[in-house]
Amino acid sequence: MRDLLLQCAGILTIAVALTHGYLGEAKVFARARIEPERLRSLIRLVWQASTVAWIGGGVLLIAVPWMQSEPARHWIVATMACVFGCSALANAWVTRGRHFGWMALSAVVVMSVAGY
């Protein structure tokens, strides 16, 4: 059961990351006026770097059950729970709780810790 929780957390993480990347491009950067253009490209790339990093975290959570190392399981789950926990807190604070992202990221944290 705990392996299934980790894999579900990984799948949810990837879904959140892809949604984050899409909404950034479709909603945020489609309306944003950032000058100079070079800075706009930099901010866009930084935004998408977090998308790629979250996908990587999701892949690790999915792969943890097949790892034969208990310390690897421990450190992957602990690191991802901290990363997604901080992301959830920041999202909830900045959006004053009006964005679904903090809830999805919190669900990832809960499932990851429960699967540990």
Side-chain angles (χ1 to χ4, degrees):
M1 182 65 170
R2 58 185 225 162
D3 290 347
L4 185 60
L5 282 169
L6 286 174
Q7 291 171 328
C8 288
I11 291 167
L12 181 58
T13 299
I14 293 169
V16 168
L18 292 173
T19 303
H20 175 263
Y22 170 75
L23 290 177
E25 293 298 325
K27 303 290 184 188
V28 176
F29 292 110
R31 296 184 209 161
R33 290 180 41 103
I34 302 169
E35 298 292 332
E37 187 64 31
R38 185 181 88 254
L39 185 58
R40 177 181 173 86
S41 297
L42 175 65
I43 293 172
R44 190 178 230 155
L45 289 172
V46 169
W47 180 287
Q48 295 305 342
S50 63
T51 300
V52 173
W54 289 355
I55 290 170
V59 169
L60 286 174
L61 287 172
I62 291 169
V64 160
W66 292 292
M67 295 179 183
Q68 300 301 315
S69 171
E70 197 60 33
R73 181 185 193 104
H74 168 79
W75 284 108
I76 289 170
V77 171
T79 302
M80 293 300 104
C82 289
V83 167
F84 298 125
C86 289
S87 299
L89 288 173
N91 188 300
W93 179 55
V94 169
T95 64
R96 297 185 182 122
R98 294 181 294 211
H99 188 272
F100 68 90
W102 72 270
M103 291 179 269
L105 291 168
S106 296
V108 168
V109 172
V110 169
M111 285 191 290
S112 297
V113 171
Y116 173 70

